[in-house]
Amino acid sequence: MGAVLTRQAEIGKFPSLPEPLPLARFPAAEDLRAAIGLWTAWLAGERRASPHTVAAYGRDLAFFLDFLTGHLGDIPSLATFAALSATDYRAYLAHRAARVERASIARGLSVVRGFVRFLERRGFASSPALTVLRAPKLPRSVPKPLSVGDAAEIVEAPAALVASVWQAKRDIALLTLLYGCGLRLAEALGLKRSEAPRGDLVTITGKGRKQRLVPVLPAVREAIADYLAACPYPLAADGPLFVGARGGPLNPRVVQRQMQALRGMLGLPETATPHALRHSFATHLLGAGGDLRAIQELLGHASLSTTQRYTSVETERLLAVYEAAHPRAR
């Protein structure tokens, strides 16, 4: 166990890590806290998880350790995991079910599984009972894109809501980028001024800091150039491309509020969010005959199964067309 307690030396292998999670927040014995320190360093360093992801995983693990402390009557250590039974894990799931939705329960159990796998690979601990436990089944979610007409309308609408001309141009540029390139909001807001699309391709840094090349339509380049020409603030090359009213980085919540106002004005459903523009990008490409593998690359999905969700949307659309048009379907 001494190897676990020397975690600081191993964490030193990751010099570019964000500030570590405060280990005092975890109800755990010293050896388990040391292992948690290694785990969070591994997530941020080797897995390249964002600080938000590391914090979210830490919260889920802390919930589990809090439960074990009350359930077992003592703070858990590494040795505790080997002694846990399937009944103990089921008690944890029941405890969480009284407080959160199934999606949160499944995510929390996934975090615990990942942590235990990390302990097993490092030879710190194991938990055989976890292998027989099944996660709660979740309904398969289907992306909710906008129609082609609604997507075009929402991209052009900000001028009617924002009093400042340059802010309207900024919002149009951002929404055009989300829809035209299929970006996540965080990816778009993470672009630096020096990374503003000028040619036919732009390099995007996505989840896990993985990079991909995305084609840029002329309409996207023109909208961004229009915004940059109107922006009253000098934008440093290494500063954010999209800035807020006072010249600082544009807050994603501002964009979300703007979309909320736009969908109210246009009579669109609550599913018309910034991320719905990414869904629309993928669905409209697929509907026009786009190759699923190519769409996977453009979206930056690690797994093809994630991209295949969009085939469900297209199938639903085709069935709706069939039922509305075929004489025997009436």
Side-chain angles (χ1 to χ4, degrees):
M1 210 58 65
V4 184
L5 299 179
T6 58
R7 66 181 181 83
Q8 289 297 339
E10 194 161 341
I11 289 175
K13 296 178 183 177
F14 308 105
S16 61
L17 291 182
E19 286 297 314
L21 292 176
L23 296 180
R25 66 184 283 190
F26 294 97
E30 185 180 358
D31 61 347
L32 180 53
R33 283 190 186 179
I36 293 170
L38 282 177
W39 174 65
T40 56
W42 172 77
L43 287 173
E46 293 188 25
R47 290 292 303 275
R48 297 184 177 182
S50 71
H52 293 297
T53 298
V54 174
Y57 283 15
R59 284 193 297 271
D60 283 327
L61 182 59
F63 286 141
F64 177 65
L65 298 180
D66 273 331
F67 166 77
L68 286 184
T69 300
H71 180 65
L72 302 175
D74 196 9
I75 60 172
S77 66
L78 286 175
T80 301
F81 284 88
L84 291 177
S85 66
T87 302
D88 294 321
Y89 283 111
R90 292 191 184 100
Y92 165 67
L93 295 179
H95 173 77
R96 293 292 285 160
R99 292 162 174 78
V100 297
E101 296 180 353
R102 281 192 297 173
S104 297
I105 298 170
R107 187 197 65 220
L109 182 59
S110 176
V111 169
V112 174
R113 285 188 193 277
F115 178 64
V116 170
R117 281 197 298 269
F118 173 83
L119 296 180
E120 290 173 344
R121 285 195 299 267
R122 297 297 178 94
F124 296 156
S126 64
S127 188
L130 192 55
T131 60
V132 301
L133 197 69
R134 292 184 179 180
K137 288 187 177 180
L138 300 176
R140 185 176 177 83
S141 63
V142 176
K144 296 178 174 58
L146 302 168
S147 69
V148 173
D150 287 343
E153 193 172 10
I154 209 166
V155 163
E156 298 169 359
L161 289 180
V162 182
S164 167
V165 173
W166 82 266
Q167 287 177 286
K169 291 179 181 293
R170 177 203 64 196
D171 293 349
I172 290 172
L174 177 58
L175 297 179
T176 302
L177 180 63
L178 295 178
Y179 178 47
C181 295
L183 303 191
R184 302 175 178 94
L185 179 57
E187 292 171 345
L189 296 184
L191 287 173
K192 297 178 182 178
R193 170 64 182 85
S194 61
E195 297 170 326
R198 295 184 183 88
D200 295 332
L201 296 170
V202 63
T203 300
I204 299 299
T205 303
K207 288 185 175 180
R209 288 177 253 171
K210 294 180 180 178
Q211 292 189 325
R212 67 186 189 275
L213 283 176
V214 178
V216 181
L217 298 170
V220 175
R221 293 196 299 270
E222 291 165 8
I224 292 177
D226 199 23
Y227 151 63
L228 290 175
C231 182
Y233 297 104
L235 302 180
D238 61 346
L241 173 59
F242 294 103
V243 296
R246 297 182 180 180
L250 181 59
N251 191 307
R253 183 62 189 132
V254 172
V255 183
Q256 291 161 353
R257 284 199 299 267
Q258 182 73 332
M259 282 292 289
Q260 183 177 3
L262 286 171
R263 65 176 178 253
M265 182 181 75
L266 299 174
L268 299 176
E270 290 188 1
T271 54
T273 63
H275 203 68
L277 292 173
R278 174 174 162 88
H279 292 326
S280 304
F281 166 87
T283 305
H284 298 166
L285 283 181
L286 187 63
D291 177 74
L292 196 63
R293 285 284 185 185
I295 295 172
Q296 176 192 2
E297 292 293 327
L298 293 173
L299 293 175
H301 286 161
S303 171
L304 184 63
S305 62
T306 305
T307 316
Q308 284 174 330
R309 295 184 306 156
Y310 294 104
T311 61
S312 300
V313 177
E314 185 61 14
T315 300
E316 288 183 1
R317 186 189 70 81
L318 291 174
L319 288 173
V321 170
Y322 171 81
E323 291 173 357
H326 197 286
R328 291 289 185 176
R330 297 173 184 172

